[in-house]
Amino acid sequence: MMITEEKVPYQHFKEHLEPLKNNIIEDGETFQQSNGQASLTIFLSIGFAEKRAAVFTANGKSFYQAWENIENQGNSYLKKTKELFTSIKIDIVTNVIPVTIPEFINRITKTKKNYFRQGVSFSKDFKHAFLEQELNGNAVIQIDRETKRGFIHEQNLQKYIQKHRPNVKQVDFKKVEKVYIFETRGYFYEKGNCYKLHQGERDNGRRDTPLNAEEVDMLINSGQKYLTSLSKPNGRFVYGFFSYYDKEIKHYNSLRHSSTIYSMIEAYEFYPTEEAADAIERGIDYLIREKLYVDEEKDIAYIIDGEQADRMEVKLGAIAAAILAITKYTEVFENLEHILIAQKLARGILQLQQENGKFVHILDYPSLGLKEEFRIVYYDGEACFALMRLYKIDRDEQWLQAVEKAFDYFIESDHWKHHDHWLSYCTNEVTLYKPERKYYKFGLQNVQNRLDYIYKRITTYPTFLELMMAAYQMVNRMKADGYGDLINELDFDESKLEATIHRRAEYQRNGFFYPELAMYFKNPKRITGSFFIRHHSFRTRIDDVEHYLSGYCAYYNLFLKQNEQ
């Protein structure tokens, strides 16, 4: 199953709307609740491939009266514009809360950016009412950088009304005396399928389907297809977009280039296509051709990051990510072509390791002088993980020895307090070859005190799932290796780990552009089937997608693969 568009001629609007109507009527609870109200409000959203949805509202004394009204509005609009549509969404208002303007401002002030998940009407009769997806998809609710107070971006809203709310006049905010916050129950129809949508504070408006093998397979395949579509002929990626206004992100990052290739290869194991293979090979070729620096005399190599001559540098993390991409490519494609380069890069990492095991993070380029001893905690775990993945292929003891030396430093300095997903990856990897108590203990500590935070976290930050999946693999092997007593020694809650894994795997779906969400953004075709970061302007960047992919690949392999078979 892949999320793809299907354009429907306007003449077929009513026949596509009818099964959605029947689906709502069959959903007895919602239908009885809506039909029993003195006044009912329904929203109709008509989705298109390359522009925002057109949205209509209708009031009625019964479901059937409101439905007839909304159907006529949608049909008249499409008959007039003769546009091809892709989907239809219905939202039925289920609860309305009147609030004063100061109270409303206070509510949005206290809410994380883009996480206000209720609709807003600026009039009691709902003539100026907007779904939360409309508001969030058009950057209408914002926070003032100086005062830190929430506000309505009036210009964004008025422009949106003008272009995408055909039957709504501009809002006269001078006449707004109260604000009406409302909740809806949504239903979505596309390509012959009806979906009931979640209702609630965190999952609102996203299809209410089980997270089974088929669904995770779809998430992985869609993310892979999206990254493949961003691959340019020269091997470089389109870096990403801010989805509000389909604005391309122009800068670039070599580390994320490589880690994206790594995740694409993981997904390729699920969904091997010629297009993906070509994109992966182009990406590696670009990395070697454009970003590799080799010191032939020392027989070492580095990866150069930075686009401007005065800002170029060598990053420990970028070297590590390149090794990870090459070693994963070597394994999956059974091609040793680039392994000598990976070994040169690994020797470059060893050049950045100090006697106490600590790594230097940043060198200036082209001088190769020290620029920053430390930049970000992720680089340390990435470096060790990369060395271990290379060790898996060539069994060169110097890589393992360097990792052991680094872990001595990690353990001594309580590096586990950073709860880094890369540290989780590398701890899981090192215990494959060195199943020692101290490493297992470190790995448990790295995840233990983070579980409550992860379980409750409002953002869909995808590295949390990666952190826990690597830890879960390590815990199972730890018990098999005879160190199960560490569970009691550290009072580690295995059931909490597994419960949090399933919670995050489900919750991360709120960071996936299902069609029922993508339809409210400027260019749905561009983003449908990709992953995003909500509080960063619904950013969909290559590294955002790669982290979701890696987490879901591990989740599928450990929890769903056997069930599917």
Side-chain angles (χ1 to χ4, degrees), residues 481-534:
D481 287 338
Y483 294 107
D485 63 298
L486 278 169
I487 300 288
N488 293 328
E489 180 182 319
L490 296 178
D491 196 23
F492 186 83
D493 192 337
E494 288 184 86
S495 61
K496 181 185 284 188
L497 172 61
E498 185 165 345
T500 306
I501 286 172
H502 292 305
R503 162 68 178 164
R504 290 307 299 186
E506 170 64 29
Y507 188 68
Q508 279 186 189
R509 296 169 71 189
N510 291 321
F512 181 73
F513 266 126
Y514 284 103
E516 57 265 30
L517 175 59
M519 66 192 299
Y520 294 99
F521 290 79
K522 184 175 181 179
N523 189 352
K525 184 178 180 180
R526 175 100 68 196
I527 57 177
T528 300
S530 68
F531 294 91
F532 63 87
I533 302 297
R534 178 178 285 267

Side-chain angles (χ1 to χ4, degrees), residues 205-250:
R206 188 253 296 169
R207 62 188 60 184
D208 190 2
T209 51
L211 188 67
N212 53 23
E214 181 185 8
E215 186 72 4
V216 175
D217 183 73
M218 182 278 293
L219 294 170
I220 294 170
N221 292 344
S222 293
Q224 169 77 304
K225 185 177 180 182
Y226 179 72
L227 289 177
T228 300
S229 74
L230 296 182
S231 173
K232 297 180 179 181
N234 68 352
R236 186 176 166 120
F237 293 98
V238 176
Y239 197 46
F241 297 90
F242 292 116
S243 302
Y244 288 147
Y245 301 117
D246 196 32
K247 183 179 179 182
E248 185 176 341
I249 303 170
K250 293 296 185 181

Side-chain angles (χ1 to χ4, degrees), residues 60-78:
K61 294 181 179 179
S62 70
F63 172 82
Y64 293 103
Q65 187 182 68
W67 188 270
E68 182 180 4
N69 186 335
I70 206 74
E71 182 181 276
N72 289 337
Q73 287 188 58
N75 192 56
S76 297
Y77 171 78
L78 289 174

Side-chain angles (χ1 to χ4, degrees), residues 29 74 95 139 152 219 243 278 340 370 373 389 507 517 520 536:
E29 182 181 350
N95 188 35
I152 294 294
L219 294 170
S243 302
D278 289 344
L340 292 177
L370 177 63
E373 281 198 14
R389 280 299 174 91
Y507 188 68
L517 175 59
Y520 294 99
H536 289 311

